[in-house]
Amino acid sequence: MKAKKTYKLTFGIVLRKSIISISILFPVIVSCTDPFNPSVDAETADLFVVDGFVNATDSTAIVTLSHSRPLTSRGVFSPEKNARVMIESSEGESFSLQELDSGKYALQNIPVNKTASYTLRVQTASGATYTSEPVTVRSTPPIDSLTYGLSNDNLGLSIRLNTHDDTGNSRYYSWEYSETYEYRSYFNSGFTFENNQPVQRTAEEAVNICYLTVPSTRILLGTSTALAEDVIQGEELTIIPKYSPKISVRYSILIRQRVLSAKEYDYLYQLRQVTERLGTFFDPLPGEVIGNISRDGGSSEMILGNFSAAEVYEERFFINKGELPLDLQASPITKGCQLEFTCDIRIPRTTLQPPCVFLEDISDNAMIIEAAYDLMGKPYAYSFARDYCGDCRTQGGITTKPDFW
């Protein structure tokens, strides 16, 4: 099935925008009887990581500087602060980026000349300097089509991409995406609950419809080098499980495609091996992941980072639940969502009532769903549920609809 789409072509110098967090893996020799403890001090293992993005469409640049973490750490991100970051062109232009936070450096109003080459220069607060190899802006063809349908195992929604380059000059491709989806809470809460008193919600206070945007975290690569023609056919970008809330109402994915050099493809391929294949002794030990950035002065310090230049082709499409294959039009599984009921507030607390909860005993975090009314139109009892079942925001989303929705 072919996807509905909108698209635009942007130009820019590109480094992956996601922050790369790497655990350092040390080779360990294993025997059946005697353990072996490597002499490498994992606590002091440290690689300088460079990650950046320059977008010529909105003339902005972002470079993130950080440090890898050892296996013994608990995922603590270590940014490189107070550095000087510059991008220089072969035309004599120089752009100095300003520090923001968390190791990010940015600047607006940077023009990109596709006939020039660019070099990234970094000086850390300690005085160490790093320089990238000069890179040129690579051309990127458009995405031909985006399709979707049942995955091979019939258990999810597969989203696939097709592209080609008639000139045969692309050959190496990478993709990034972000997903935005609309979802609903299991129950629609009609009341707020303040000081043990239900208050009718206004339309602006509704919390049953939410929108959540999730960036991709995988390194997606493709190559046509084994083919006579420069064609990528049916490249699977992601699989969404059958009962996922992502496809419970409406789903959108924004795809960014760009062309890589052979060297950058190899760098990202090795980086993907490290980030996705660590786990068992049956996996191959990763070799050195070497990009095109090095420390000045002939230092042998290993740097994790790569600077590159390319056009970026961007495309978004939408899928409504009713457009999905029938096998995928299933409601999300929500465990533990059931209604409870308050006691009749007209009856004194000391009077025996059927199994119920007195209104004053309900937690302020409870979601009041509906009311039961007497003949005079006054509420005398309420149904309620846990906040997870009546407030979509508890699942990470927001109630504000995206501008592109």
Side-chain angles (χ1 to χ4, degrees):
M1 189 177 299
K2 190 170 181 179
K4 297 177 180 179
K5 62 183 182 180
T6 61
Y7 58 87
K8 64 180 179 179
L9 182 64
T10 63
F11 301 86
I13 299 174
V14 178
L15 266 164
R16 291 185 57 81
K17 290 191 288 183
S18 57
I19 295 175
I20 303 171
S21 180
I22 299 296
S23 294
I24 306 304
L25 178 68
F26 298 101
V28 178
I29 300 174
V30 179
S31 73
C32 296
T33 57
D34 298 319
F36 173 77
N37 295 318
S39 60
V40 179
D41 184 2
E43 291 294 345
T44 59
D46 182 12
L47 293 182
F48 190 41
V49 182
V50 181
D51 180 32
F53 178 77
V54 177
N55 189 318
T57 301
D58 57 13
S59 301
T60 61
I62 297 178
V63 173
T64 302
L65 306 178
S66 61
H67 293 264
S68 60
R69 58 183 175 86
L71 286 173
T72 52
S73 71
R74 295 296 181 183
V76 178
F77 176 66
S78 178
E80 177 68 37
K81 299 181 179 180
N82 302 317
R84 294 181 59 191
V85 180
M86 299 186 67
I87 296 174
E88 299 176 354
S89 80
S90 58
E91 302 297 316
E93 295 177 297
S94 180
F95 311 103
S96 180
L97 279 63
Q98 299 173 352
E99 184 172 7
L100 300 179
D101 55 11
S102 300
K104 290 185 178 180
Y105 300 80
L107 188 66
Q108 298 180 344
N109 302 317
I110 298 182
V112 175
N113 183 349
K114 291 196 293 181
T115 64
S117 62
Y118 293 86
T119 302
L120 176 65
R121 299 187 186 277
V122 175
Q123 180 178 356
T124 66
S126 65
T129 58
Y130 302 83
T131 304
S132 74
E133 298 173 3
V135 297
T136 56
V137 181
R138 302 187 67 85
S139 298
T140 294
I143 296 171
D144 291 334
S145 62
L146 293 163
T147 63
Y148 64 90
L150 281 172
S151 58
N152 292 335
D153 59 7
N154 294 326
L155 296 178
L157 176 68
S158 174
I159 297 178
R160 299 177 181 270
L161 174 146
N162 303 302
T163 190
H164 79 286
D165 183 1
D166 288 332
T167 69
N169 294 327
S170 296
R171 294 296 179 181
Y172 300 97
Y173 299 82
S174 74
W175 300 277
E176 294 179 354
Y177 65 84
S178 61
E179 302 169 290
T180 302
Y181 59 95
E182 177 183 336
Y183 66 95
R184 310 288 172 89
S185 59
Y186 192 79
F187 296 117
N188 182 6
S189 171
F191 297 81
T192 61
F193 193 51
E194 303 171 3
N195 299 319
N196 298 115
Q197 292 298 319
V199 179
Q200 190 86 37
R201 286 187 187 274
T202 64
E204 292 75 20
E205 295 173 325
V207 291
N208 64 309
I209 301 176
C210 278
Y211 307 86
L212 182 60
T213 296
V214 182
S216 60
T217 57
R218 298 167 54 216
I219 298 175
L220 299 172
L221 303 172
T223 179
S224 63
T225 53
L227 305 176
E229 297 182 338
D230 193 352
V231 176
I232 300 292
Q233 191 72 28
E235 181 72 26
E236 189 169 72
L237 301 176
T238 186
I239 296 177
I240 304 172
K242 181 176 182 178
Y243 295 102
S244 170
K246 291 181 180 181
I247 52 176
S248 62
V249 181
R250 195 182 193 211
Y251 170 85
S252 176
I253 185 169
L254 177 65
I255 310 289
R256 298 177 184 89
Q257 172 175 288
R258 71 180 179 95
V259 168
L260 312 173
S261 67
K263 182 173 183 178
E264 185 181 11
Y265 178 88
D266 289 340
Y267 165 79
L268 291 174
Y269 181 85
Q270 293 296 326
L271 187 60
R272 184 173 67 181
Q273 295 293 94
V274 173
T275 56
E276 294 185 358
R277 297 191 63 179
L278 297 181
T280 73
F281 292 113
F282 298 100
D283 289 334
L285 293 175
E288 290 187 343
V289 182
I290 300 176
N292 63 357
I293 299 174
S294 59
R295 183 166 176 171
D296 298 337
S299 171
S300 60
E301 178 186 349
M302 181 179 168
I303 310 301
L304 189 61
N306 194 76
F307 187 65
S308 63
E311 296 174 353
V312 178
Y313 189 90
E314 186 175 284
E315 186 168 316
R316 176 186 294 281
F317 74 88
F318 296 84
I319 304 173
N320 295 313
K321 180 179 179 179
E323 300 168 341
L324 293 171
L326 290 178
D327 288 348
L328 296 179
Q329 294 186 28
S331 299
I333 298 176
T334 305
K335 297 180 180 180
C337 285
Q338 58 185 13
L339 289 177
E340 297 183 69
F341 300 91
T342 68
C343 303
D344 191 328
I345 61 178
R346 299 169 300 180
I347 301 176
R349 188 182 180 103
T350 55
T351 305
L352 181 65
Q353 295 198 46
C356 59
V357 179
F358 288 99
L359 190 62
E360 58 267 28
D361 293 335
I362 298 177
S363 166
D364 284 341
N365 293 327
M367 304 299 296
I368 305 298
I369 307 302
E370 293 180 330
Y373 297 90
D374 60 21
L375 295 178
M376 301 299 293
K378 293 184 178 181
Y380 65 87
Y382 299 88
S383 62
F384 64 95
R386 54 186 294 190
D387 57 355
Y388 175 84
C389 303
D391 186 347
C392 59
R393 298 172 300 178
T394 62
Q395 301 176 51
I398 60 174
T399 57
T400 302
K401 183 184 297 187
D403 293 338
F404 56 81
W405 210 252

